[in-house]
C-alpha cells in the first residue's frame, strides 16, 4: 500500500532556499519523488508534510490546538 | 493579592508539561459518510477495533477493513464531519479509564463523566476489548452473592463469578431485581457496576436517585449509554463496564456487574452491522451476534487463588416479547449464562413479586456456593412448590378435596406468600433462615391464609427486638441444628399466640 509518490508540503509563508533544501532532503529520504508546495496562512507557522497517507504535522496551529485541548 | 508572576509561571509550567502529539501520523480522508458510518480512504495501517480521530475532535471506531477503504463508526459528530475531512489513526484500541476514582461516578462508555462533577483523574486505562481469563486462571465458584431476595437466594442461588441471566417481558421487575441486588451489597465488599445500554434517560435518573438515597453509590459505578446516544456508544458500553470490572477483579476484589439490557445491545449491534452492509441472518441480526455476547460474558469469572481470587459476577438482563424465550437473543444468552431468573408478567400482575417463575428458573453453579444452612432448609422448597402448583391447577376443576390435599394447598399458598417481597426490602441470611424454617414447619398451619406476609414482617420485627440472642446463635455457614431450629419455632409460636390476639384487637379498634 505504501506507494508514496507525491509529497504535499504546506507552509505558512514562502521559505528560503536552505529550508527548501532541507525539506527536499527529508521528503526524498521517505520515498517521495514529486513535491508540491502550498501556502496556507491558517497554519500560522511551521510546516505540514504529507507523503502518501503519512502526515508530519509540525504546524504552530496544531501545537496551539493541542494546548487548547489540554489546558 | 494575586501574584501575577506566579500565575504566569504556573501556566507556563502547565503548557510545558503538555505532551506534544506525535509529529508523524497516518491519515486518510473521508470518502463517504452517512448514519454515523464513515468510509475512509488512506490509513494504510488501520487495525480492527482501532480508535480514529476525525478532524474536529470526533472519535470513530474501525469495524470494516477493506481493500481500498476503511469502514468506521462515529462516536459523535455524525452531522459535523464532512466529505474530505482528515482522519488520523491513533494506533490504539478503545481504552476505558479505570481506577478507584470511578466508584460513585456516572460515566459514558469512554470514561467521560456525565454527573456534572469533576473530570476523572486517573492515569490507568484498560482496553475495552480484552480476552477472558484462561481455563487455568479460573477457580471454583464457592462464595455466594446474596441478592437479599428470598426466592432467589433460596432456590436460584448466585455465586460470585457466576453469570445469571434475568429474563422477562417489559414491566416484570427485571431491573428491580438487579437494583435490589446492588443495594444488598452494602458492607459486603463487592464493587457494583451498573451498565445501562440504550435505556431511557428518565429510567436511569430514577435508578441513580434510588442508589444515591440508599447510599449505594459509595461502591457503585454507573456506565451509561442512553437511547439517544450514538449507536456505537451503546455497542461498547458493556465492554467498557467489563473493562472496569476486570481492573478490580485482577486486584483480587469481587465485582458485580449488571448489563441492562443485552437485547438493546444486540439491536445496537444489528443497526451498525446493517449500516455496514454485513449480511443479515435470523431476525436480521448479523452472524456474529452470538459471539458478541459470549465474548462479553466469558469475561465474567472467578479467578483462582494464585491469580488473586477476584471475581466478576454478571447479571445480564434480556427483555422478551410476549414471554417468548425461544426468540434468537434470549436463547443465545440463555445458553451462554450459568442459569436464568425467569420473570413472568402473569405472576407480576397477580401480585407475586418478585415475579420469579420457579419452574423455569435455574442456577447451574450457585448451589455449591450456597450457605450451608440455607441449602439445608431450602432443599425441599422447589419440589414442594412444584407440587403445589400442579395441585393448584388441578383444583381449578373444583372437585372435592381431602384434608391432606387441602393442607398441601394452603401450605403452598403460604409459601408463595412468604416468597413475595417488596422492592428495596432485602432480607439478611438469618432472616431468610427464620422465614423458611417457620413457613415450612407445622406452625404455618396456624397462621391465617392471606395474613402470611404481614405475619412474616411482624415476626422479623419481633425477633429483632425480643430475641437478639437467638439471632446470634444462627450460623448460616453451619447446618441448622435441631436445638436452634426448635428455638426459632418456639419464638415464632410465642409471636403467633400474642399477635393473633393482638391483631384482632387492633382490627376491632380500627373498626370502632
Amino acid at each position: 500500500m505504501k506507494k508514496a509518490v507525491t509529497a504535499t508540503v504546506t507552509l505558512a509563508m514562502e521559505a528560503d532556499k536552505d529550508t527548501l533544501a532541507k525539506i527536499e532532503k527529508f521528503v526524498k529520504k521517505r520515498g517521495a519523488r514529486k513535491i508540491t508546495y502550498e501556502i496556507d496562512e491558517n497554519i500560522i507557522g511551521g510546516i505540514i508534510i504529507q507523503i502518501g497517507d503519512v502526515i508530519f504535522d509540525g504546524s504552530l496551529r496544531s501545537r496551539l490546538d493541542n494546548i487548547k485541548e489540554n489546558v | 493579592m494575586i501574584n501575577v508572576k506566579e500565575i504566569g509561571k504556573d501556566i507556563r509550567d502547565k503548557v510545558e508539561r503538555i505532551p506534544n502529539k506525535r509529529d508523524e501520523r497516518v491519515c486518510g480522508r473521508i470518502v463517504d459518510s452517512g448514519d454515523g458510518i464513515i468510509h475512509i480512504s488512506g490509513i494504510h495501517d488501520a487495525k480492527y477495533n482501532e480508535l480514529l480521530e476525525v478532524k474536529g475532535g470526533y472519535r470513530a471506531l474501525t469495524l470494516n477493513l477493506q481493500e481500498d477503504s476503511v469502514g468506521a463508526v462515529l462516536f459523535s459528530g455524525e452531522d459535523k464531519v464532512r466529505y474530505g475531512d482528515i482522519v488520523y489513526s491513533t494506533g490504539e484500541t478503545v481504552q476505558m479509564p479505570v481506577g478507584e476514582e470511578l466508584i460513585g461516578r456516572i460515566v459514558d462508555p469512554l470514561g467521560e463523566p456525565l454527573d456534572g462533577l469533576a473530570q476523572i483523574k486517573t492515569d490507568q486505562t484498560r482496553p475495552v476489548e480484552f480476552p477472558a481469563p484462561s481455563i487455568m486462571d479460573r477457580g471454583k465458584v464457592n462464595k455466594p452473592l446474596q441478592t437479599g431476595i428470598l426466592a432467589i437466594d433460596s432456590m436460584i442461588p448466585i455465586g460470585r463469578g457466576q453469570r445469571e441471566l434475568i429474563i422477562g417481558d417489559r414491566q416484570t421487575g427485571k431491573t428491580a431485581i438487579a437494583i435490589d441486588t446492588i443495594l444488598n451489597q452494602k458492607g459486603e465488599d463487592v464493587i457494583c457496576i451498573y451498565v445501562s445500554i440504550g435505556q431511557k434517560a428518565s429510567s436511569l435518573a430514577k435508578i441513580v436517585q434510588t442508589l444515591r438515597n440508599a447510599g449505594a453509590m459509595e461502591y457503585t459505578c454507573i456506565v451509561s449509554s442512553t437511547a439517544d446516544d450514538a449507536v456505537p456508544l451503546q455497542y461498547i458500553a458493556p465492554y467498557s463496564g467489563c473493562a472496569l470490572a476486570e481492573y478490580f477483579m485482577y486486584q483480587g476484589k469481587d465485582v458485580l456487574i449488571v448489563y441492562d439490557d443485552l437485547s438493546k445491545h444486540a439491536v445496537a449491534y444489528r443497526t451498525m452491522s446493517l449500516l455496514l452492509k454485513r449480511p443479515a441472518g435470523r431476525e436480521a441480526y448479523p452472524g456474529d451476534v452470538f459471539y458478541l455476547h459470549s465474548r462479553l460474558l466469558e469475561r465474567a469469572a472467578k479467578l483462582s487463588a494464585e491469580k488473586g481470587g477476584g471475581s466478576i459476577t454478571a447479571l445480564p438482563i434480556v427483555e422478551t416479547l410476549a414471554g417468548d424465550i425461544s426468540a434468537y437473543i434470549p436463547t443465545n444468552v440463555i445458553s451462554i449464562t450459568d442459569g436464568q431468573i425467569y420473570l413472568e408478567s402473569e405472576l407480576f400482575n397477580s401480585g407475586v413479586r418478585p415475579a420469579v417463575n420457579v419452574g423455569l428458573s435455574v442456577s447451574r453453579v450457585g448451589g455449591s456456593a450456597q450457605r450451608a444452612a440455607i441449602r439445608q432448609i431450602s432443599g425441599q422448597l422447589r419440589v414442594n412448590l412444584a407440587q403445589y402448583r400442579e395441585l393448584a391447577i388441578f383444583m381449578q376443576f373444583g372437585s372435592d378435596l381431602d384434608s391432606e390435599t387441602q393442607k398441601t394447598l394452603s401450605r403452598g399458598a403460604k409459601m408463595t406468600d412468604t416468597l413475595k417481597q417488596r422492592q428495596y426490602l432485602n432480607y439478611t441470611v438469618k432472616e431468610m433462615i427464620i422465614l423458611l424454617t417457620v413457613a415450612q414447619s407445622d406452625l404455618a398451619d396456624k397462621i391465617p391464609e392471606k395474613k402470611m406476609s404481614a405475619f412474616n414482617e411482624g415476626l422479623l420485627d419481633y425477633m429483632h427486638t425480643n430475641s437478639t440472642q437467638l439471632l446470634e446463635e444462627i450460623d448460616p455457614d453451619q447446618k441448622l441444628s435441631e436445638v436452634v431450629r426448635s428455638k426459632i419455632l418456639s419464638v415464632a409460636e410465642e409471636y403467633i399466640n400474642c399477635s393473633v390476639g393482638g391483631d384482632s384487637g387492633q382490627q376491632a379498634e380500627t373498626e370502632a
Side-chain angles (χ1 to χ4, degrees), chain A residues 53-57 63 66-67, chain B residues 19-20 23 25 27 43-44:
Chain A
D53 54 8
V54 180
I55 225 169
F56 300 89
D57 192 341
R63 285 274 175 92
N66 190 23
I67 289 171
Chain B
N20 272 320
D23 287 336
R25 310 179 79 187
C27 72
I43 318 192
H44 60 80

Side-chain angles (χ1 to χ4, degrees), chain A residues 13-26:
Chain A
M13 59 200 87
E14 297 282 349
D16 55 53
K17 264 192 180 159
D18 271 9
T19 318
L20 285 179
K22 269 188 201 163
I23 293 170
E24 207 163 308
K25 196 178 157 203
F26 176 86

Side-chain angles (χ1 to χ4, degrees), chain A residues 1-2 30 50 52-58 62-63 65-71, chain B residues 14-15 18-29 42-44 67 86 88:
Chain A
M1 274 292 282
K2 258 191 177 173
R30 289 182 186 255
Q50 185 176 355
D53 54 8
V54 180
I55 225 169
F56 300 89
D57 192 341
S62 70
R63 285 274 175 92
D65 283 347
N66 190 23
I67 289 171
K68 197 168 135 195
E69 260 176 54
N70 282 283
V71 171
Chain B
K14 211 167 183 188
V15 168
I18 296 170
N20 272 320
K21 283 190 180 168
R22 278 189 310 154
D23 287 336
E24 180 183 342
R25 310 179 79 187
V26 176
C27 72
R29 286 188 189 274
I43 318 192
H44 60 80
E67 199 181 343
I86 285 195
Y88 298 102

Side-chain angles (χ1 to χ4, degrees), chain B residues 205 232 303 336:
Chain B
L303 293 181
I336 297 164

Side-chain angles (χ1 to χ4, degrees), chain B residues 15-184:
Chain B
V15 168
E16 264 166 25
R17 258 184 280 127
I18 296 170
N20 272 320
K21 283 190 180 168
R22 278 189 310 154
D23 287 336
E24 180 183 342
R25 310 179 79 187
V26 176
C27 72
R29 286 188 189 274
I30 296 182
V31 292
D32 173 276
S33 163
D35 302 310
I37 308 283
I38 52 174
H39 285 95
I40 304 135
S41 114
I43 318 192
H44 60 80
D45 66 348
K47 288 182 287 190
Y48 182 70
N49 255 332
E50 183 180 337
L51 201 61
L52 302 177
E53 219 176 270
V54 186
K55 191 181 141 197
Y58 309 112
R59 285 183 279 191
L61 178 73
T62 59
L63 281 182
N64 266 9
L65 306 179
Q66 287 147 337
E67 199 181 343
D68 48 1
S69 76
V70 173
V73 287
L74 281 168
F75 286 123
S76 60
E78 58 170 279
D79 50 348
K80 304 268 173 30
V81 303
R82 277 188 273 178
Y83 176 83
D85 275 356
I86 285 195
V87 182
Y88 298 102
S89 74
T90 61
E92 286 171 0
T93 53
V94 183
Q95 301 276 324
M96 172 76 176
V98 294
E100 308 280 340
E101 293 85 352
L102 275 105
I103 295 175
R105 303 297 301 268
I106 307 167
V107 295
D108 79 357
L110 296 170
E112 298 292 327
L114 295 172
D115 46 9
L117 298 175
Q119 197 69 25
I120 290 158
K121 288 197 188 87
T122 166
D123 42 8
Q124 287 164 296
T125 59
R126 278 187 76 87
V128 159
E129 296 275 358
F130 195 77
S134 70
I135 303 168
M136 293 315 293
D137 291 346
R138 286 171 193 256
K140 201 169 172 291
V141 174
N142 55 12
K143 221 173 155 196
L145 184 108
Q146 298 292 343
T147 63
I149 299 166
L150 185 58
I152 294 173
D153 284 350
S154 61
M155 286 178 290
I156 319 149
I158 301 169
R160 293 189 182 177
Q162 190 182 345
R163 303 150 306 166
E164 181 81 9
L165 170 68
I166 302 174
I167 185 170
D169 279 7
R170 67 190 165 76
Q171 287 296 311
T172 48
K174 301 185 296 297
T175 304
I177 287 185
I179 297 300
D180 268 345
T181 309
I182 291 180
L183 294 182
N184 201 47

